[in-house]
Amino acid sequence: MSVILDCRSLSKKFGSITALSDVNLSLERGRIIGLLGPNGSGKTTLIKIINGLLVPDQGDIHIAGMEPGIESKKIISFLPERTYLPDWMKVSDAISFFKDFYEDFEEARAYDMLQRLNLDPNKRLKTLSKGTKEKVQLILVMSRRADLYCLDEPIGGVDPAARDYILNTIITNYDEKATVIISTHLIADIESVLDEVIFIKDGRLVLHAPVDDIREKEGKSIDSLFREVFKC
Amino acid sequence: MLGKLIKHETNATGRLFLPMYFIILVLSLLNRILTSIDIYSDTLNIVLGFSIAAYVISIIATIVVTFVIMIIRFYKNLMSDEGYLMFTLPVKSSQLINSKLIVSLLWNIVSVLVVMVSLLIFFGSSESMRFVNEIIDKTITMLKLNFGSKYILIIVEFMIMILISMFQQILLIYVSIAIGHLFNGHKVLGSFLSYIGINVIAQIIVTLILVVWASLAGTSFAELEAIPQLVFPFSIAIATIFCGVFYFVTNYIFKRKLNLE
Protein backbone atom coordinates (compact mmCIF):
# COMPACT_ATOMS: atom_id res chain seq x y z
CA MET A 1 0.00 0.00 0.00
CA SER A 2 1.28 3.46 -0.80
CA VAL A 3 1.76 6.06 1.88
CA ILE A 4 -0.39 9.20 1.75
CA LEU A 5 0.98 10.98 4.80
CA ASP A 6 4.42 10.69 6.33
CA CYS A 7 5.62 12.70 9.34
CA ARG A 8 9.15 12.43 10.70
CA SER A 9 9.97 13.85 14.16
CA LEU A 10 7.53 16.69 13.71
CA SER A 11 7.68 19.38 16.41
CA LYS A 12 5.97 22.71 16.91
CA LYS A 13 6.15 25.16 19.80
CA PHE A 14 4.16 28.30 20.45
CA GLY A 15 6.34 30.36 22.72
CA SER A 16 6.96 28.11 25.70
CA ILE A 17 4.02 25.83 24.94
CA THR A 18 4.80 22.61 23.12
CA ALA A 19 1.99 21.84 20.69
CA LEU A 20 3.61 18.88 18.97
CA SER A 21 6.64 16.96 20.11
CA ASP A 22 8.56 14.50 17.95
CA VAL A 23 5.58 13.07 16.08
CA ASN A 24 6.35 10.16 13.77
CA LEU A 25 3.42 8.99 11.75
CA SER A 26 2.80 7.12 8.53
CA LEU A 27 -0.68 6.76 7.07
CA GLU A 28 -1.67 4.57 4.15
CA ARG A 29 -4.26 5.15 1.48
CA GLY A 30 -7.77 3.76 1.69
CA ARG A 31 -8.32 4.19 5.42
CA ILE A 32 -10.65 6.10 7.69
CA ILE A 33 -8.59 7.24 10.62
CA GLY A 34 -9.71 8.83 13.87
CA LEU A 35 -7.38 11.46 15.28
CA LEU A 36 -8.40 11.40 18.92
CA GLY A 37 -7.32 13.39 21.91
CA PRO A 38 -8.60 15.84 24.50
CA ASN A 39 -8.86 19.57 23.84
CA GLY A 40 -5.47 21.21 23.37
CA SER A 41 -3.68 17.92 22.73
CA GLY A 42 -2.29 19.03 19.36
CA LYS A 43 -4.89 17.62 16.94
CA THR A 44 -5.59 20.92 15.24
CA THR A 45 -1.87 21.83 15.14
CA LEU A 46 -1.12 18.59 13.30
CA ILE A 47 -3.99 19.17 10.85
CA LYS A 48 -2.86 22.76 10.24
CA ILE A 49 0.68 21.56 9.46
CA ILE A 50 -0.68 18.96 7.02
CA ASN A 51 -2.62 21.74 5.27
CA GLY A 52 0.27 24.17 5.11
CA LEU A 53 -1.34 26.62 7.54
CA LEU A 54 1.55 26.23 9.97
CA VAL A 55 5.21 25.56 9.37
CA PRO A 56 6.72 23.02 11.80
CA ASP A 57 9.77 24.04 13.86
CA GLN A 58 11.44 20.69 13.28
CA GLY A 59 10.92 17.53 11.29
CA ASP A 60 9.61 16.67 7.84
CA ILE A 61 6.15 16.13 6.49
CA HIS A 62 5.22 14.67 3.12
CA ILE A 63 1.79 14.29 1.57
CA ALA A 64 1.91 11.70 -1.21
CA GLY A 65 5.64 12.38 -1.30
CA MET A 66 5.27 16.18 -1.52
CA GLU A 67 6.05 18.89 1.00
CA PRO A 68 3.06 21.10 1.88
CA GLY A 69 2.53 23.53 -0.99
CA ILE A 70 0.36 24.17 -4.02
CA GLU A 71 0.61 20.56 -5.25
CA SER A 72 -0.31 19.07 -1.87
CA LYS A 73 -3.21 21.50 -1.48
CA LYS A 74 -4.62 20.25 -4.78
CA ILE A 75 -5.06 16.76 -3.34
CA ILE A 76 -6.09 17.57 0.25
CA SER A 77 -9.67 18.44 1.07
CA PHE A 78 -9.77 20.29 4.36
CA LEU A 79 -12.66 20.99 6.70
CA PRO A 80 -11.55 23.31 9.52
CA GLU A 81 -13.30 23.33 12.87
CA ARG A 82 -14.80 26.75 12.18
CA THR A 83 -17.03 28.37 9.58
CA TYR A 84 -14.63 29.69 6.99
CA LEU A 85 -16.90 30.69 4.11
CA PRO A 86 -17.54 34.42 3.59
CA ASP A 87 -21.03 34.93 5.03
CA TRP A 88 -22.22 37.27 2.25
CA MET A 89 -22.00 34.39 -0.24
CA LYS A 90 -24.97 32.33 -1.31
CA VAL A 91 -24.55 28.57 -1.06
CA SER A 92 -24.38 28.52 -4.87
CA ASP A 93 -21.60 31.18 -4.81
CA ALA A 94 -19.56 28.96 -2.50
CA ILE A 95 -20.06 26.07 -4.92
CA SER A 96 -18.84 28.17 -7.87
CA PHE A 97 -15.86 29.24 -5.77
CA PHE A 98 -14.85 25.64 -5.11
CA LYS A 99 -15.46 24.71 -8.74
CA ASP A 100 -13.16 27.53 -9.86
CA PHE A 101 -10.25 26.66 -7.64
CA TYR A 102 -10.36 22.86 -7.29
CA GLU A 103 -10.10 20.76 -10.41
CA ASP A 104 -11.36 17.70 -8.54
CA PHE A 105 -14.57 19.38 -7.38
CA GLU A 106 -17.77 17.76 -8.64
CA GLU A 107 -20.55 20.32 -8.80
CA ALA A 108 -23.32 17.81 -9.50
CA ARG A 109 -22.50 15.84 -6.36
CA ALA A 110 -22.62 18.98 -4.26
CA TYR A 111 -26.07 19.95 -5.57
CA ASP A 112 -27.26 16.40 -5.14
CA MET A 113 -26.23 16.34 -1.48
CA LEU A 114 -27.77 19.77 -0.88
CA GLN A 115 -31.05 18.50 -2.22
CA ARG A 116 -30.97 15.42 -0.04
CA LEU A 117 -30.43 17.55 3.04
CA ASN A 118 -33.17 19.96 1.90
CA LEU A 119 -30.79 22.91 1.70
CA ASP A 120 -31.65 25.80 -0.61
CA PRO A 121 -28.64 26.78 -2.77
CA ASN A 122 -30.02 30.30 -3.16
CA LYS A 123 -29.87 31.08 0.56
CA ARG A 124 -27.18 33.38 1.85
CA LEU A 125 -24.78 31.76 4.32
CA LYS A 126 -25.44 34.66 6.70
CA THR A 127 -29.04 33.49 7.12
CA LEU A 128 -28.14 29.88 7.95
CA SER A 129 -27.70 28.44 11.44
CA LYS A 130 -24.25 27.34 12.58
CA GLY A 131 -25.13 23.66 12.15
CA THR A 132 -26.48 24.25 8.64
CA LYS A 133 -23.33 26.15 7.66
CA GLU A 134 -21.28 23.20 8.87
CA LYS A 135 -23.36 20.89 6.71
CA VAL A 136 -22.76 23.11 3.67
CA GLN A 137 -19.02 23.13 4.34
CA LEU A 138 -18.93 19.38 4.71
CA ILE A 139 -20.82 18.96 1.44
CA LEU A 140 -18.29 21.20 -0.35
CA VAL A 141 -15.33 19.35 1.14
CA MET A 142 -16.76 15.88 0.40
CA SER A 143 -17.69 16.84 -3.17
CA ARG A 144 -14.02 16.90 -4.06
CA ARG A 145 -12.26 13.79 -5.35
CA ALA A 146 -9.30 14.29 -3.06
CA ASP A 147 -6.58 11.87 -1.98
CA LEU A 148 -6.61 13.01 1.62
CA TYR A 149 -9.56 14.44 3.54
CA CYS A 150 -8.79 16.27 6.78
CA LEU A 151 -11.95 16.78 8.78
CA ASP A 152 -11.46 18.75 11.98
CA GLU A 153 -14.45 18.25 14.30
CA PRO A 154 -16.91 17.57 11.45
CA ILE A 155 -19.82 16.58 13.67
CA GLY A 156 -19.37 18.89 16.65
CA GLY A 157 -22.16 21.34 15.93
CA VAL A 158 -24.88 19.24 14.30
CA ASP A 159 -27.73 17.21 15.72
CA PRO A 160 -27.47 13.40 16.06
CA ALA A 161 -29.72 12.72 13.06
CA ALA A 162 -27.58 14.88 10.80
CA ARG A 163 -24.51 13.25 12.36
CA ASP A 164 -25.55 9.90 10.94
CA TYR A 165 -26.14 11.39 7.53
CA ILE A 166 -22.77 13.14 7.62
CA LEU A 167 -20.86 10.02 8.63
CA ASN A 168 -22.69 8.15 5.93
CA THR A 169 -21.71 10.91 3.48
CA ILE A 170 -18.11 10.55 4.51
CA ILE A 171 -17.90 6.79 4.08
CA THR A 172 -19.81 6.69 0.81
CA ASN A 173 -18.01 9.62 -0.78
CA TYR A 174 -14.40 8.65 -0.75
CA ASP A 175 -12.44 6.45 -3.13
CA GLU A 176 -10.45 3.35 -2.47
CA LYS A 177 -7.23 5.30 -2.85
CA ALA A 178 -8.23 8.13 -0.55
CA THR A 179 -7.71 8.43 3.17
CA VAL A 180 -9.93 10.29 5.61
CA ILE A 181 -8.61 11.75 8.86
CA ILE A 182 -11.35 12.68 11.30
CA SER A 183 -10.37 14.65 14.36
CA THR A 184 -12.92 14.61 17.17
CA HIS A 185 -13.56 13.91 20.80
CA LEU A 186 -17.03 12.48 20.12
CA ILE A 187 -15.61 8.99 19.79
CA ALA A 188 -18.66 6.84 20.38
CA ASP A 189 -20.41 8.47 17.44
CA ILE A 190 -17.73 7.70 14.88
CA GLU A 191 -16.21 4.54 16.28
CA SER A 192 -18.14 2.27 13.94
CA VAL A 193 -16.70 3.83 10.77
CA LEU A 194 -13.04 3.93 11.78
CA ASP A 195 -10.33 1.61 10.44
CA GLU A 196 -7.52 3.03 12.53
CA VAL A 197 -7.12 5.35 15.49
CA ILE A 198 -4.42 7.75 16.56
CA PHE A 199 -4.32 8.87 20.19
CA ILE A 200 -2.55 12.12 20.82
CA LYS A 201 -1.82 13.63 24.23
CA ASP A 202 0.15 16.76 25.15
CA GLY A 203 1.54 16.89 21.63
CA ARG A 204 2.83 13.33 21.70
CA LEU A 205 1.62 10.32 19.77
CA VAL A 206 0.38 7.80 22.34
CA LEU A 207 -1.05 5.13 20.08
CA HIS A 208 -1.56 4.40 16.39
CA ALA A 209 -3.26 1.09 15.69
CA PRO A 210 -6.01 -0.58 13.65
CA VAL A 211 -9.35 -0.59 15.47
CA ASP A 212 -9.76 -4.38 15.14
CA ASP A 213 -6.40 -5.00 16.81
CA ILE A 214 -7.40 -2.84 19.75
CA ARG A 215 -10.70 -4.61 20.16
CA GLU A 216 -8.99 -8.01 20.02
CA LYS A 217 -6.01 -7.26 22.24
CA GLU A 218 -7.60 -4.98 24.77
CA GLY A 219 -11.05 -6.44 24.57
CA LYS A 220 -12.72 -3.07 24.83
CA SER A 221 -14.19 -0.37 22.65
CA ILE A 222 -12.19 2.64 21.48
CA ASP A 223 -14.40 4.84 23.60
CA SER A 224 -13.57 3.02 26.83
CA LEU A 225 -9.88 2.77 25.92
CA PHE A 226 -9.87 6.52 25.31
CA ARG A 227 -11.43 7.16 28.71
CA GLU A 228 -8.74 5.00 30.27
CA VAL A 229 -5.76 6.54 28.47
CA PHE A 230 -6.90 10.11 28.97
CA LYS A 231 -8.25 9.68 32.48
CA CYS A 232 -8.10 12.97 34.34
CA MET B 1 -5.08 31.12 -10.86
CA LEU B 2 -4.26 34.80 -10.39
CA GLY B 3 -7.03 35.61 -12.86
CA LYS B 4 -9.56 33.61 -10.83
CA LEU B 5 -8.41 35.25 -7.60
CA ILE B 6 -8.80 38.68 -9.17
CA LYS B 7 -12.25 37.76 -10.43
CA HIS B 8 -13.43 36.68 -6.98
CA GLU B 9 -11.75 39.64 -5.30
CA THR B 10 -13.53 42.01 -7.68
CA ASN B 11 -16.88 40.31 -7.02
CA ALA B 12 -16.39 40.37 -3.26
CA THR B 13 -15.45 44.06 -3.16
CA GLY B 14 -17.59 45.30 -6.03
CA ARG B 15 -20.76 44.52 -4.09
CA LEU B 16 -19.64 47.24 -1.65
CA PHE B 17 -18.09 49.76 -4.04
CA LEU B 18 -20.70 49.84 -6.79
CA PRO B 19 -23.65 50.85 -4.55
CA MET B 20 -21.44 53.55 -3.01
CA TYR B 21 -20.55 54.95 -6.43
CA PHE B 22 -24.21 54.85 -7.39
CA ILE B 23 -25.20 56.83 -4.28
CA ILE B 24 -22.61 59.55 -4.78
CA LEU B 25 -23.52 59.99 -8.45
CA VAL B 26 -27.22 60.19 -7.62
CA LEU B 27 -26.49 62.71 -4.86
CA SER B 28 -24.50 64.90 -7.19
CA LEU B 29 -27.28 64.84 -9.79
CA LEU B 30 -29.84 65.64 -7.08
CA ASN B 31 -27.77 68.61 -5.90
CA ARG B 32 -27.33 69.83 -9.42
CA ILE B 33 -31.10 69.92 -9.82
CA LEU B 34 -31.72 71.40 -6.38
CA THR B 35 -29.25 74.22 -6.89
CA SER B 36 -30.36 75.06 -10.42
CA ILE B 37 -34.00 75.65 -9.58
CA ASP B 38 -34.62 78.93 -7.85
CA ILE B 39 -37.61 78.35 -5.61
CA TYR B 40 -36.02 78.91 -2.26
CA SER B 41 -37.54 81.21 0.27
CA ASP B 42 -35.73 81.56 3.60
CA THR B 43 -36.86 78.32 5.20
CA LEU B 44 -36.41 76.20 2.09
CA ASN B 45 -32.80 77.32 1.94
CA ILE B 46 -32.17 74.96 4.83
CA VAL B 47 -33.10 72.03 2.59
CA LEU B 48 -30.57 73.17 0.04
CA GLY B 49 -27.98 73.55 2.78
CA PHE B 50 -28.57 70.03 4.04
CA SER B 51 -28.43 68.61 0.56
CA ILE B 52 -25.10 70.24 -0.20
CA ALA B 53 -23.72 69.15 3.18
CA ALA B 54 -24.76 65.56 2.45
CA TYR B 55 -23.02 65.80 -0.89
CA VAL B 56 -19.76 67.14 0.55
CA ILE B 57 -19.78 64.43 3.21
CA SER B 58 -20.42 61.74 0.62
CA ILE B 59 -17.43 62.93 -1.44
CA ILE B 60 -15.13 62.71 1.57
CA ALA B 61 -16.75 59.42 2.58
CA THR B 62 -16.02 57.87 -0.82
CA ILE B 63 -12.28 58.35 -0.35
CA VAL B 64 -12.30 57.33 3.32
CA VAL B 65 -14.54 54.30 2.73
CA THR B 66 -12.32 53.13 -0.15
CA PHE B 67 -9.42 53.13 2.26
CA VAL B 68 -11.36 51.44 5.07
CA ILE B 69 -12.84 48.70 2.86
CA MET B 70 -9.34 47.92 1.60
CA ILE B 71 -8.07 47.41 5.17
CA ILE B 72 -11.06 45.40 6.39
CA ARG B 73 -11.11 43.23 3.30
CA PHE B 74 -7.46 42.24 3.63
CA TYR B 75 -7.79 41.56 7.35
CA LYS B 76 -11.06 39.67 7.17
CA ASN B 77 -10.34 37.60 4.08
CA LEU B 78 -6.82 36.53 5.01
CA MET B 79 -6.31 36.89 8.75
CA SER B 80 -9.71 35.87 10.18
CA ASP B 81 -11.62 32.60 9.75
CA GLU B 82 -11.82 33.15 5.99
CA GLY B 83 -8.04 32.74 5.97
CA TYR B 84 -8.60 29.00 6.43
CA LEU B 85 -10.31 28.99 3.05
CA MET B 86 -7.89 31.30 1.24
CA PHE B 87 -4.61 29.81 2.50
CA THR B 88 -5.66 26.24 1.67
CA LEU B 89 -6.46 27.09 -1.96
CA PRO B 90 -3.90 25.69 -4.38
CA VAL B 91 -2.35 29.12 -5.00
CA LYS B 92 0.87 30.83 -3.92
CA SER B 93 0.69 33.32 -1.07
CA SER B 94 2.19 35.89 -3.44
CA GLN B 95 -0.80 35.39 -5.75
CA LEU B 96 -3.14 36.14 -2.85
CA ILE B 97 -1.26 39.39 -2.22
CA ASN B 98 -1.10 40.27 -5.93
CA SER B 99 -4.83 39.77 -6.45
CA LYS B 100 -5.67 42.01 -3.49
CA LEU B 101 -3.08 44.61 -4.49
CA ILE B 102 -4.29 44.86 -8.08
CA VAL B 103 -7.97 45.05 -7.17
CA SER B 104 -7.32 47.62 -4.40
CA LEU B 105 -5.37 49.79 -6.81
CA LEU B 106 -8.20 49.49 -9.30
CA TRP B 107 -10.81 50.66 -6.77
CA ASN B 108 -8.55 53.50 -5.62
CA ILE B 109 -8.36 54.78 -9.16
CA VAL B 110 -12.06 54.24 -9.86
CA SER B 111 -12.98 56.07 -6.64
CA VAL B 112 -10.93 59.11 -7.70
CA LEU B 113 -12.55 59.01 -11.16
CA VAL B 114 -16.03 58.73 -9.65
CA VAL B 115 -15.39 61.75 -7.43
CA MET B 116 -14.21 63.68 -10.50
CA VAL B 117 -17.28 62.67 -12.52
CA SER B 118 -19.48 63.61 -9.60
CA LEU B 119 -17.90 67.07 -9.37
CA LEU B 120 -18.43 67.42 -13.09
CA ILE B 121 -22.12 66.56 -12.68
CA PHE B 122 -22.48 69.09 -9.89
CA PHE B 123 -20.40 71.97 -11.23
CA GLY B 124 -20.17 71.16 -14.94
CA SER B 125 -20.99 74.09 -17.23
CA SER B 126 -19.30 75.75 -20.20
CA GLU B 127 -18.03 78.40 -17.83
CA SER B 128 -16.52 76.06 -15.27
CA MET B 129 -14.97 73.91 -18.03
CA ARG B 130 -13.30 77.01 -19.42
CA PHE B 131 -11.96 77.71 -15.93
CA VAL B 132 -10.51 74.19 -15.62
CA ASN B 133 -8.96 74.43 -19.08
CA GLU B 134 -7.39 77.73 -18.14
CA ILE B 135 -5.74 76.21 -15.05
CA ILE B 136 -4.36 73.28 -17.06
CA ASP B 137 -3.02 75.67 -19.73
CA LYS B 138 -1.40 77.89 -17.13
CA THR B 139 0.24 74.92 -15.40
CA ILE B 140 1.70 73.63 -18.66
CA THR B 141 2.93 77.08 -19.66
CA MET B 142 4.60 77.42 -16.30
CA LEU B 143 6.22 73.98 -16.58
CA LYS B 144 7.47 74.78 -20.09
CA LEU B 145 8.88 78.07 -18.87
CA ASN B 146 10.82 76.44 -16.06
CA PHE B 147 11.89 73.15 -17.58
CA GLY B 148 11.80 73.76 -21.33
CA SER B 149 11.49 70.57 -23.36
CA LYS B 150 11.68 68.43 -20.23
CA TYR B 151 8.16 69.36 -19.15
CA ILE B 152 6.70 66.11 -20.48
CA LEU B 153 9.26 64.16 -18.48
CA ILE B 154 8.08 65.99 -15.35
CA ILE B 155 4.46 65.07 -16.05
CA VAL B 156 5.28 61.41 -16.70
CA GLU B 157 7.45 61.21 -13.60
CA PHE B 158 4.69 62.80 -11.57
CA MET B 159 2.16 60.22 -12.80
CA ILE B 160 4.53 57.37 -11.94
CA MET B 161 5.06 58.88 -8.51
CA ILE B 162 1.34 58.96 -7.81
CA LEU B 163 0.95 55.35 -8.93
CA ILE B 164 3.93 54.12 -6.89
CA SER B 165 2.82 55.99 -3.79
CA MET B 166 -0.61 54.34 -4.11
CA PHE B 167 1.15 50.95 -4.20
CA GLN B 168 3.27 52.01 -1.25
CA GLN B 169 0.25 53.02 0.82
CA ILE B 170 -1.58 49.76 0.09
CA LEU B 171 1.47 47.60 0.75
CA LEU B 172 2.19 49.50 3.97
CA ILE B 173 -1.27 48.51 5.20
CA TYR B 174 -0.75 44.90 4.13
CA VAL B 175 2.62 44.58 5.84
CA SER B 176 1.29 46.25 9.01
CA ILE B 177 -1.58 43.78 9.18
CA ALA B 178 0.79 40.88 8.51
CA ILE B 179 3.19 42.01 11.25
CA GLY B 180 0.27 42.71 13.62
CA HIS B 181 -0.81 39.11 13.02
CA LEU B 182 2.37 37.97 14.81
CA PHE B 183 1.32 39.71 18.03
CA ASN B 184 -0.53 37.05 20.03
CA GLY B 185 -3.88 38.24 21.24
CA HIS B 186 -3.39 41.90 20.26
CA LYS B 187 -3.44 41.59 16.51
CA VAL B 188 -5.37 44.78 15.72
CA LEU B 189 -3.34 46.87 18.16
CA GLY B 190 -0.19 45.24 16.78
CA SER B 191 -1.18 46.19 13.21
CA PHE B 192 -1.87 49.77 14.26
CA LEU B 193 1.47 50.10 16.06
CA SER B 194 3.29 48.50 13.10
CA TYR B 195 1.69 51.02 10.77
CA ILE B 196 2.87 53.96 12.86
CA GLY B 197 6.27 52.40 13.53
CA ILE B 198 7.00 51.65 9.87
CA ASN B 199 5.88 55.15 8.87
CA VAL B 200 8.24 56.74 11.41
CA ILE B 201 11.16 54.55 10.36
CA ALA B 202 10.51 55.26 6.67
CA GLN B 203 10.42 59.01 7.35
CA ILE B 204 13.70 58.86 9.28
CA ILE B 205 15.40 56.90 6.48
CA VAL B 206 14.22 59.32 3.79
CA THR B 207 15.25 62.35 5.86
CA LEU B 208 18.69 60.92 6.58
CA ILE B 209 19.31 60.15 2.91
CA LEU B 210 18.16 63.63 1.91
CA VAL B 211 20.39 65.36 4.48
CA VAL B 212 23.46 63.36 3.46
CA TRP B 213 22.73 63.76 -0.21
CA ALA B 214 22.08 67.50 0.00
CA SER B 215 25.30 68.11 1.91
CA LEU B 216 27.28 66.12 -0.68
CA ALA B 217 25.60 67.58 -3.74
CA GLY B 218 25.81 71.14 -2.43
CA THR B 219 24.02 73.90 -4.30
CA SER B 220 23.17 71.92 -7.45
CA PHE B 221 20.52 70.16 -5.39
CA ALA B 222 18.53 73.35 -4.95
CA GLU B 223 18.35 74.21 -8.64
CA LEU B 224 15.07 73.77 -10.50
CA GLU B 225 16.65 71.42 -13.03
CA ALA B 226 17.32 68.95 -10.25
CA ILE B 227 13.61 68.20 -9.98
CA PRO B 228 13.18 66.08 -13.14
CA GLN B 229 16.77 64.80 -13.09
CA LEU B 230 17.29 63.98 -9.44
CA VAL B 231 14.43 64.63 -7.04
CA PHE B 232 11.60 62.85 -8.85
CA PRO B 233 13.65 59.82 -9.97
CA PHE B 234 15.05 59.57 -6.45
CA SER B 235 11.57 59.65 -4.88
CA ILE B 236 10.39 56.99 -7.32
CA ALA B 237 13.38 54.79 -6.53
CA ILE B 238 12.93 55.13 -2.77
CA ALA B 239 9.19 54.40 -3.00
CA THR B 240 9.90 51.35 -5.18
CA ILE B 241 12.38 50.02 -2.63
CA PHE B 242 9.84 50.51 0.18
CA CYS B 243 7.20 48.71 -1.90
CA GLY B 244 9.61 45.82 -2.46
CA VAL B 245 10.45 45.51 1.24
CA PHE B 246 6.79 45.70 2.34
CA TYR B 247 5.81 43.08 -0.24
CA PHE B 248 8.66 40.74 0.65
CA VAL B 249 7.97 40.91 4.40
CA THR B 250 4.21 40.34 3.92
CA ASN B 251 4.87 37.32 1.71
CA TYR B 252 7.49 35.92 4.09
CA ILE B 253 5.07 36.11 7.03
CA PHE B 254 2.32 34.43 5.02
CA LYS B 255 4.64 31.65 3.88
CA ARG B 256 6.61 30.92 7.03
CA LYS B 257 4.96 32.55 10.04
CA LEU B 258 1.26 32.14 9.40
CA ASN B 259 -0.65 31.29 12.57
CA LEU B 260 -4.39 31.71 12.09
CA GLU B 261 -6.46 31.64 15.26
Side-chain angles (χ1 to χ4, degrees):
Chain A
M1 283 295 268
S2 67
V3 172
I4 183 71
L5 178 72
D6 190 46
C7 303
R8 290 276 156 256
S9 40
L10 215 54
S11 299
K12 180 75 189 176
K13 276 187 177 179
F14 296 110
S16 58
I17 302 158
T18 305
L20 281 183
S21 174
D22 196 30
V23 170
N24 289 292
L25 186 64
S26 183
L27 303 181
E28 289 176 349
R29 289 177 184 266
R31 305 292 171 88
I32 299 183
I33 299 159
L35 177 60
L36 313 175
N39 298 322
S41 55
K43 301 189 298 277
T44 297
T45 302
L46 179 60
I47 285 183
K48 277 181 165 182
I49 291 175
I50 296 170
N51 284 284
L53 290 171
L54 275 178
V55 178
D57 297 334
Q58 276 161 25
D60 297 311
I61 178 163
H62 289 94
I63 302 104
M66 300 175 287
E67 289 190 357
I70 294 184
E71 293 306 316
S72 74
K73 287 171 184 175
K74 281 183 187 166
I75 61 165
I76 304 176
S77 193
F78 169 48
L79 180 75
E81 95 300 10
R82 53 190 68 219
T83 53
Y84 69 163
L85 296 170
D87 60 4
W88 56 269
M89 278 188 175
K90 287 179 190 163
V91 176
S92 58
D93 293 333
I95 290 176
S96 322
F97 188 90
F98 267 65
K99 195 180 154 204
D100 254 6
F101 286 102
Y102 295 109
E103 283 169 24
D104 60 4
F105 183 77
E106 291 176 2
E107 196 180 12
R109 282 213 299 169
Y111 277 107
D112 185 49
M113 280 192 258
L114 281 176
Q115 202 181 10
R116 261 191 283 165
L117 276 177
N118 283 323
L119 298 174
D120 180 0
N122 292 314
K123 277 241 168 91
R124 286 199 187 278
L125 291 162
K126 203 182 300 183
T127 64
L128 303 178
S129 71
K130 191 165 181 284
T132 313
K133 272 187 221 166
E134 287 185 7
K135 285 181 203 167
V136 171
Q137 289 186 173
L138 187 81
I139 287 173
L140 290 169
V141 166
M142 294 313 295
S143 295
R144 286 183 56 195
R145 284 263 169 249
D147 288 20
L148 178 63
Y149 297 86
C150 286
L151 314 177
D152 199 359
E153 302 285 355
I155 54 172
V158 298
D159 57 275
R163 237 169 243 187
D164 287 345
Y165 177 82
I166 283 170
L167 286 176
N168 204 31
T169 309
I170 294 169
I171 31 181
T172 52
N173 275 285
Y174 86 106
D175 300 329
E176 294 278 289
K177 67 176 181 67
T179 281
V180 185
I181 299 174
I182 304 174
S183 143
T184 187
H185 45 248
L186 298 168
I187 300 162
D189 283 319
I190 64 158
E191 191 171 338
S192 58
V193 304
L194 297 180
D195 297 318
E196 292 175 16
V197 289
I198 297 164
F199 279 13
I200 186 168
K201 186 185 186 181
D202 300 329
R204 290 180 182 279
L205 205 71
V206 179
L207 172 86
H208 175 205
V211 170
D212 293 342
D213 284 13
I214 293 173
R215 288 210 190 93
E216 258 171 48
K217 272 190 212 155
E218 310 274 340
K220 56 186 79 147
S221 72
I222 306 298
D223 193 42
S224 41
L225 181 67
F226 183 89
R227 282 167 206 268
E228 213 170 88
V229 171
F230 297 107
K231 199 170 180 189
C232 296
Chain B
M1 278 302 181
L2 181 63
K4 286 175 185 168
L5 284 171
I6 289 176
K7 185 186 96 182
H8 282 283
E9 187 64 20
T10 313
N11 281 344
T13 45
R15 79 200 163 85
L16 303 169
F17 280 107
L18 296 180
M20 181 175 79
Y21 294 154
F22 178 75
I23 290 171
I24 186 176
L25 292 176
V26 167
L27 270 178
S28 45
L29 192 65
L30 203 70
N31 271 288
R32 174 77 188 239
I33 295 165
L34 281 177
T35 46
S36 62
I37 45 178
D38 194 14
I39 51 158
Y40 305 105
S41 60
D42 285 349
T43 42
L44 274 173
N45 256 328
I46 296 169
V47 178
L48 183 65
F50 270 120
S51 172
I52 292 175
Y55 176 63
V56 173
I57 290 168
S58 73
I59 293 251
I60 298 166
T62 305
I63 300 300
V64 175
V65 168
T66 303
F67 195 68
V68 171
I69 289 179
M70 182 172 77
I71 296 171
I72 293 177
R73 172 73 189 160
F74 191 81
Y75 183 81
K76 197 168 177 235
N77 195 230
L78 295 182
M79 304 281 93
S80 75
D81 288 353
E82 288 175 30
Y84 283 81
L85 177 66
M86 300 312 289
F87 282 108
T88 50
L89 292 177
V91 299
K92 287 186 195 157
S93 56
S94 60
Q95 290 176 318
L96 293 174
I97 302 171
N98 292 345
S99 64
K100 296 223 159 7
L101 184 61
I102 291 166
V103 174
S104 289
L105 185 75
L106 176 91
W107 290 125
N108 272 324
I109 294 171
V110 174
S111 288
V112 172
L113 289 179
V114 166
V115 167
M116 280 159 75
V117 169
S118 143
L119 291 172
L120 198 68
I121 292 174
F122 193 14
F123 294 111
S125 67
S126 56
E127 197 184 329
S128 62
M129 288 316 288
R130 212 178 308 128
F131 181 67
V132 171
N133 269 331
E134 230 167 75
I135 289 179
I136 294 174
D137 279 346
K138 272 187 189 161
T139 313
I140 289 177
T141 318
M142 193 200 73
L143 285 175
K144 271 184 184 162
L145 201 68
N146 285 315
F147 303 106
S149 56
K150 286 212 186 83
Y151 83 99
I152 292 190
L153 182 66
I154 283 263
I155 294 172
V156 171
E157 284 178 348
F158 187 65
M159 298 279 196
I160 294 173
M161 256 171 61
I162 290 179
L163 200 67
I164 297 262
S165 62
M166 275 183 171
F167 272 122
Q168 193 186 334
Q169 275 308 311
I170 298 168
L171 284 167
L172 174 59
I173 288 165
Y174 290 179
V175 76
S176 303
I177 291 173
I179 292 173
H181 168 75
L182 301 175
F183 288 65
N184 274 333
H186 303 284
K187 294 179 191 296
V188 175
L189 181 69
S191 305
F192 193 65
L193 291 178
S194 310
Y195 184 81
I196 295 171
I198 295 168
N199 250 328
V200 170
I201 293 169
Q203 290 297 330
I204 291 173
I205 291 174
V206 171
T207 313
L208 277 179
I209 294 174
L210 278 178
V211 168
V212 172
W213 194 20
S215 62
L216 288 178
T219 49
S220 67
F221 195 70
E223 283 167 19
L224 261 181
E225 283 207 346
I227 292 178
Q229 279 167 1
L230 287 174
V231 179
F232 277 16
F234 171 75
S235 310
I236 291 171
I238 286 282
T240 310
I241 290 168
F242 278 133
C243 285
V245 172
F246 295 164
Y247 186 97
F248 177 82
V249 173
T250 309
N251 196 35
Y252 175 79
I253 291 172
F254 284 175
K255 259 166 83 174
R256 305 293 306 177
K257 300 284 171 197
L258 193 69
N259 183 16
L260 298 171
E261 274 178 59

